[in-house]
Amino acid sequence: MNEELTGRLRTAAEAHQPDRARMLARVERGMSGAPDRHRESPGARPWPRVALASLAAAGILAGGGFAVAAIVHSPPARPDSSATPAAPPAPSAPRTPRTPQATPSAPTTSGPTAPDHSSPTSPGPAASGGTDSARPGGAHVQDGPLSSAGSLDAGSNTYWAQSNITLRTTQPLTALTVELRITQTGGVQSTGSWRTLPADDFTVTVQHEGAAVVYRWILKPGRTVPAGQHVFAGQYNHAAGERETRHDGYRVDATGPRGALSVWGGFAPAR
């Protein structure tokens, strides 16, 4: 079988569309005994017509099958060797998980008059001549007219915290240094600080000293702290999870009408 004959057979097979409905109609007419275009002669039986119709349908289907078989068995066209195979898609870049960001909550204590702006310069010793670091161990929360308390603010969360120092004085203070020491337990980084006293009355610094972040508020010369209750707060991010505060501490050195005063202590858990 040459290529020309193969092509003709393929074209004829593709163009051929057997009239299946017509063939079935003829088979049904033969089985029901319905008259065709010519009347049957008296006494003729319908079964020869049914047999002939079935043989005709089988012949048509067989002819179509031979043509299709000839096309199927003909050799396929050779692919174009010059075609270039499509390159596989480049793998997409891996997705980097997002790290949760700390969102500080608003302080639950009385709000500050203005945020503190930290100075990179370390201040000198306290005006009263006391020690220059908070004491994480032990507590001395009252000295004459001056008393203090440390607490973790109720707005603290899994990634962020605020440590509050509450001072009460029954007499005016002419010198005051408040120091807050937050131990580095992992990811501790200052996010700000505030106090209820006027911002212009204090020099504020935040520094990394050893294994701690240290906040200091120093009353400027010539300013006075009135009698009453005052709050100093340090805010900071920390590693995810519940943070241990037992190594944190604060110290307050002041000068009142009767001389030097000092208090210190730690931080109670938030309630």
Side-chain angles (χ1 to χ4, degrees):
M1 184 180 295
N2 56 29
E3 293 183 0
E4 179 180 1
L5 179 57
T6 300
R8 290 183 179 180
L9 287 175
R10 183 180 294 106
T11 302
E14 293 175 353
H16 177 68
Q17 298 181 354
D19 193 345
R20 184 172 179 272
R22 184 175 179 184
M23 288 165 34
L24 292 177
R26 293 181 62 184
V27 172
E28 290 177 359
R29 285 198 299 270
M31 294 177 66
S32 62
D36 204 344
R37 295 182 180 178
H38 304 285
R39 294 177 58 87
E40 296 179 356
S41 59
R45 295 183 178 180
W47 68 267
R49 180 173 299 172
V50 174
L52 291 175
S54 300
L55 290 175
I60 294 173
L61 293 175
F66 289 148
V68 173
I71 295 172
V72 171
H73 286 84
S74 61
R78 296 181 62 186
D80 186 2
S81 61
S82 62
T84 303
S92 59
R95 304 179 65 179
T96 304
R98 295 179 61 185
T99 303
Q101 298 296 325
T103 304
S105 60
T108 56
T109 57
S110 57
T113 56
D116 291 328
H117 299 284
S118 303
S119 168
T121 304
S122 175
S128 62
T131 59
D132 60 353
S133 62
R135 298 183 181 181
H140 178 67
V141 298
Q142 186 165 0
D143 187 0
L146 180 65
S147 62
S148 64
S151 65
L152 187 65
D153 193 87
S156 303
N157 56 51
T158 306
Y159 302 98
W160 177 90
Q162 176 177 299
S163 296
N164 301 328
I165 303 170
T166 302
L167 298 181
R168 296 178 180 87
T169 178
T170 59
Q171 298 177 357
L173 304 175
T174 56
L176 177 66
T177 297
V178 179
E179 181 179 292
L180 167 63
R181 183 175 294 268
I182 303 299
T183 303
Q184 181 61 259
T185 55
V188 175
Q189 184 175 5
S190 174
T191 60
S193 64
W194 57 270
R195 75 307 73 214
T196 54
L197 291 167
D200 292 341
D201 288 356
F202 290 86
T203 299
V204 184
T205 61
V206 180
Q207 294 179 316
H208 291 267
E209 296 182 6
V213 177
V214 180
Y215 300 75
R216 286 192 183 93
W217 296 264
I218 300 178
L219 185 67
K220 294 179 179 178
R223 310 297 173 92
T224 301
V225 175
Q229 178 174 298
H230 312 290
V231 178
F232 296 80
Q235 301 171 332
Y236 48 92
N237 289 334
H238 59 79
E242 184 176 358
R243 182 179 172 276
E244 178 60 63
T245 62
R246 63 190 179 93
H247 295 299
D248 298 343
Y250 70 89
R251 180 180 177 89
V252 179
D253 295 300
T255 300
R258 296 183 182 180
L261 304 168
S262 295
V263 290
W264 59 85
F267 294 89
R271 296 180 179 178

